Amino acid sequence: MADGDAGFTIADAPSATDAHGTTWPPLFEMRREGLFFVAPAKRNPKTNEEEQGSPMWLAAPFRVLGEARDPAGHGRALLLEWQDNDHRTQRYALPRRLLHAEGGALAGELEDRGLRIRTGPLYRNKLADALSDLRTTGRVSSVARAGWHEIAGRALYVMADGSTYGAGGEAVLLTGAGEAAAARVAACGTLEGWQQQVAAPAVGNHRLALFLSAAFAPPLLELLGAEGGGLHMLGNSSGGKTTCLEAAASVWGNPRMGQQVRSWRATANALEGTAVECSDALMALDEIGLCGGHDVAAALYMLAGGAGRGRAARDGSLRAGKTWRTLFLSTGELSPADKVAETGQRSRAGQDVRCATIPADAGRGLGVWQQLHEAPSGEALSNAVKAAALAHHGHAARAFLDALTKMRAEQPAELLRELRATVEDFTRGPHVPAGADGQVRRVAQRFGLIAAAGEMAAELGILPWPEGEAERAAVACFGAWLAGRTGGHGSGEDAAALSAVRAFIGAHGASRFSTLFPSVREGATGEHDENERPIVNRAGWRRRAGEDRWEYLILPEAWRDEVCRGLDGQQVARALDAAGLLERGEGKNLAARVSIPGEGRPRLFVVRAGLLAGKED
């Protein structure tokens, strides 16, 4: 392996610093053929002359681009670059801890990535010595997830392939970003082709326009300090909902299943990994029906909450958890509430807040479509948009990030003011009913954020839409969500409470309630209906409150364990009281004392007539 400089020794002298700021330790040289160890010169006792040591080849040539570390100064690594035998450029952040690993761990990692290393303990140890003692002036910031980061006091956006947007003070390395992640956000075709064939058909089609606008919203979450969350499009097969999802995914990259579009059928750990990869970017999940109800319920809170499960390190201490910010889009023939109901649990209002369900049917008999844009049918338009998304994708998000990072650097206050104004105007619009519950306003804020993102992308010339198109789509779809929401614009918890009591009475009103005859009220006497069959597993009593109207007197144990299973029994009683459907007791008691023949005056939850008819006062 010797070359023309084989006789040169650098013992006892500093090595030269290369163009990347790397200074190799004495006795080591990086030559054209690779890294060498040159033994120091020795004096020959017979001739009394110095003889140069033989150069020892250790590894194929590579460059040290700098030392990487995370924002806290931990996770030190050397960023290496070389060409493999297929003439492809390879980069690897070599953890410094690997320099102290046993056996051939260091050499094995490098060989696995295409860098040839000389075998044998002597040579491997020399290589470790060289890497351990080298000095480099290059500095690289390593980050563990995609999205926004502050590097040297400047905001920088890192995509899943490691590419960066924004003027950072030093190079940035996304750890753990592999070829699969890079392939998912790879660009194909042209932005113009995407605008004409994917984005333009969304004009006048609110569902597609909403999903496309939503694709631009995730990078705005961090700027506005907004919470994460999602939208779920519910509808039958072949209605166009997957077309909307794939079109939205094409903003960021390849819309194929397994690429930018992921399946709901995944473990919790896999969803965490996907969320980290999609931090401050779109997360697209198809067909919720493939996921178990328990997993759906947990995933909705996890994805919107932006944090994974806590895990312990080997020493018992708590490891740093995975975090992210994302806005996710979902589709399915079932709603999240339907999936949770499959487990026998009740869907909670918080789940609907975190993932708002909108119907895929736009009401024109064309599935998601309202305008066909000269296509012969809704199916034909869906096929055309899907094919165009495969041919043209990955450009729109990059154009948006390029403009957004410049605006954030040059006009941060104005950018933030305009975005906030758009969101606030949306939440104050006539489509948000006066006196709407806080849960409704939280969802309205998400739709407002989506409207702001779509209008911003249109103003930048990325979405080829007329002014107001994104906002009109958000208003229409927010109205569709509100119309289908249990409880309307009121509290979701209160609506769920009334629904739970109504469902129990509807199922067991005649079978588990003894009839009091005549009507028994405070201070009155009464008897059980002697013609009534014996009641098994009694939940309480019922009494007439007018013709064909009944009041139900429910035992506290049945109220807690059965009627309000999965809910707060006291909160359910307060909800009925607020709706004028509970005859409450004295003082702060929600249960009233009622005279029951042979039972004394137990406390019972007295549900007034009118609940089954939905007549809340």
Side-chain angles (χ1 to χ4, degrees):
M1 291 290 180
D3 61 8
D5 297 326
F8 177 71
T9 178
I10 54 175
D12 303 320
S15 298
T17 301
D18 66 18
H20 295 277
T22 303
T23 303
W24 290 97
L27 305 180
F28 292 94
E29 297 179 22
M30 181 60 74
R31 301 178 182 177
R32 185 176 61 253
E33 294 85 359
L35 180 64
F36 286 82
F37 172 76
V38 182
K42 294 183 179 180
R43 187 172 297 277
N44 189 321
K46 294 182 179 180
T47 63
N48 200 29
E49 294 181 356
E50 286 192 350
E51 296 180 354
Q52 303 294 336
S54 299
M56 181 190 300
W57 182 83
L58 303 177
F62 60 91
R63 296 187 296 175
V64 181
L65 302 183
E67 183 175 41
R69 70 276 189 246
D70 65 23
H74 302 160
R76 299 273 172 167
L78 294 173
L79 183 58
L80 310 182
E81 182 182 82
W82 65 89
Q83 277 201 329
D84 62 20
N85 291 335
D86 298 317
H87 306 289
R88 292 178 300 187
T89 299
Q90 300 284 353
R91 283 191 178 184
Y92 174 53
L94 174 68
R96 280 196 172 273
R97 68 174 184 276
L98 201 57
L99 301 177
H100 306 279
E102 297 290 335
L106 167 62
E109 287 290 340
L110 295 173
E111 282 275 11
D112 189 55
R113 289 166 170 79
L115 182 65
R116 292 184 299 114
I117 305 296
R118 189 168 185 174
T119 59
L122 172 64
Y123 309 111
R124 294 197 300 261
N125 290 339
K126 290 295 183 184
L127 174 61
D129 290 342
L131 293 171
S132 178
D133 294 340
L134 70 80
R135 296 293 178 265
T136 175
T137 59
R139 288 294 178 268
V140 179
S141 294
S142 62
V143 295
R145 60 166 176 78
W148 290 108
H149 296 276
E150 185 174 316
I151 307 296
R154 301 179 182 179
L156 194 76
Y157 190 97
V158 183
M159 286 198 71
D161 62 352
S163 58
T164 58
Y165 293 83
E170 59 187 38
V172 176
L173 171 69
L174 177 60
T175 59
E179 293 183 2
R184 280 190 276 269
V185 296
C188 180
T190 65
L191 176 61
E192 292 75 17
W194 180 86
Q195 290 172 324
Q196 295 169 8
Q197 301 174 46
V198 178
V203 175
N205 287 307
H206 295 150
R207 269 69 177 168
L208 179 58
L210 180 76
F211 267 38
L212 285 176
S213 297
F216 293 96
L220 305 182
L221 292 171
E222 189 264 351
L223 276 75
L224 292 170
E227 64 179 357
L231 301 177
H232 178 77
M233 189 176 291
L234 170 66
N236 295 328
S237 177
S238 302
K241 59 185 185 298
T242 300
T243 299
C244 295
L245 187 69
E246 292 181 359
S250 72
V251 170
W252 289 88
N254 190 335
R256 292 183 185 275
M257 172 59 70
Q259 296 294 316
Q260 274 301 116
V261 175
R262 321 294 178 95
S263 173
W264 263 105
R265 188 175 185 179
T267 64
N269 286 342
L271 283 177
E272 280 189 24
T274 300
V276 171
E277 184 181 313
C278 297
S279 185
D280 292 321
L282 179 68
M283 185 174 180
L285 297 168
D286 193 30
E287 195 43 68
I288 199 171
L290 297 176
C291 189
H294 290 290
D295 295 331
V296 168
L300 294 181
Y301 284 99
M302 181 188 73
L303 295 177
R309 180 180 300 174
R311 295 177 174 87
R314 290 183 177 179
D315 61 0
S317 61
L318 186 63
R319 291 193 307 185
K322 297 177 180 178
T323 61
W324 57 82
R325 284 178 301 265
T326 189
L327 190 150
F328 61 93
L329 298 178
S330 168
T331 65
E333 297 178 36
L334 297 173
S335 70
D338 294 332
K339 292 301 299 181
V340 173
E342 288 180 353
T343 68
Q345 297 179 341
R346 291 191 175 98
S347 176
R348 298 185 181 276
Q351 292 166 347
D352 189 45
V353 171
R354 286 163 176 78
C355 183
T357 298
I358 60 172
D361 189 356
R364 300 289 181 86
L366 300 170
V368 300
W369 306 110
Q370 296 158 270
Q371 296 186 21
L372 294 180
H373 292 273
E374 300 182 358
S377 64
E379 181 182 6
L381 182 55
S382 291
N383 291 338
V385 171
K386 287 165 70 76
L390 285 174
H392 306 281
H393 54 254
H395 296 282
R398 294 178 184 272
F400 186 74
L401 291 171
D402 187 51
L404 180 60
T405 50
K406 291 177 181 177
M407 294 168 65
R408 185 170 184 177
E410 298 170 2
Q411 303 170 326
E414 182 179 347
L415 171 64
L416 187 59
R417 183 171 58 252
E418 291 181 358
L419 288 173
R420 283 177 173 169
T422 303
V423 175
E424 289 174 1
D425 288 346
F426 188 93
T427 57
R428 295 172 180 170
H431 45 274
V432 181
D437 185 75
Q439 296 168 345
V440 174
R441 294 193 174 278
R442 283 175 63 187
V443 176
Q445 288 176 345
R446 185 176 312 138
F447 277 86
L449 173 66
I450 292 170
E455 292 299 328
M456 183 178 176
E459 185 177 346
L460 292 171
I462 300 170
L463 285 173
W465 297 349
E467 183 179 356
E469 187 67 31
E471 185 174 358
R472 285 189 289 273
V475 168
C477 293
F478 175 77
W481 168 77
L482 192 60
R485 179 177 183 263
T486 301
H489 65 273
S491 167
E493 281 87 357
D494 289 354
L498 268 61
S499 178
V501 180
R502 184 183 293 118
F504 186 86
I505 291 175
H508 306 292
S511 62
R512 295 187 58 190
F513 290 87
S514 297
T515 303
L516 294 177
F517 183 82
S519 180
V520 178
R521 293 190 177 276
E522 287 296 322
T525 58
E527 300 176 353
H528 294 293
D529 187 349
E530 296 180 352
N531 297 320
E532 184 179 54
R533 62 180 177 81
I535 299 296
V536 179
N537 193 19
R538 177 191 289 150
W541 295 264
R542 64 176 185 167
R543 64 191 181 192
R544 289 194 178 276
E547 188 176 353
D548 296 328
R549 290 165 62 85
W550 296 91
E551 290 182 341
Y552 290 86
L553 293 64
I554 305 176
L555 289 163
E557 294 78 10
W559 180 266
R560 181 190 64 232
D561 298 336
E562 297 184 73
V563 180
C564 305
R565 180 182 298 166
L567 300 172
D568 183 337
Q570 291 296 103
Q571 179 59 40
V572 172
R574 284 191 288 268
L576 262 70
D577 184 37
L581 293 170
L582 185 76
E583 185 178 305
R584 61 180 299 154
E586 72 286 355
K588 296 182 179 180
N589 289 305
L590 293 168
R593 289 198 178 279
V594 182
S595 295
I596 303 295
E599 303 291 346
R601 298 182 70 249
R603 285 198 181 276
L604 304 170
F605 288 94
V606 182
V607 180
R608 287 175 172 168
L611 176 62
L612 294 181
K615 295 179 180 180
E616 295 92 55
D617 294 340

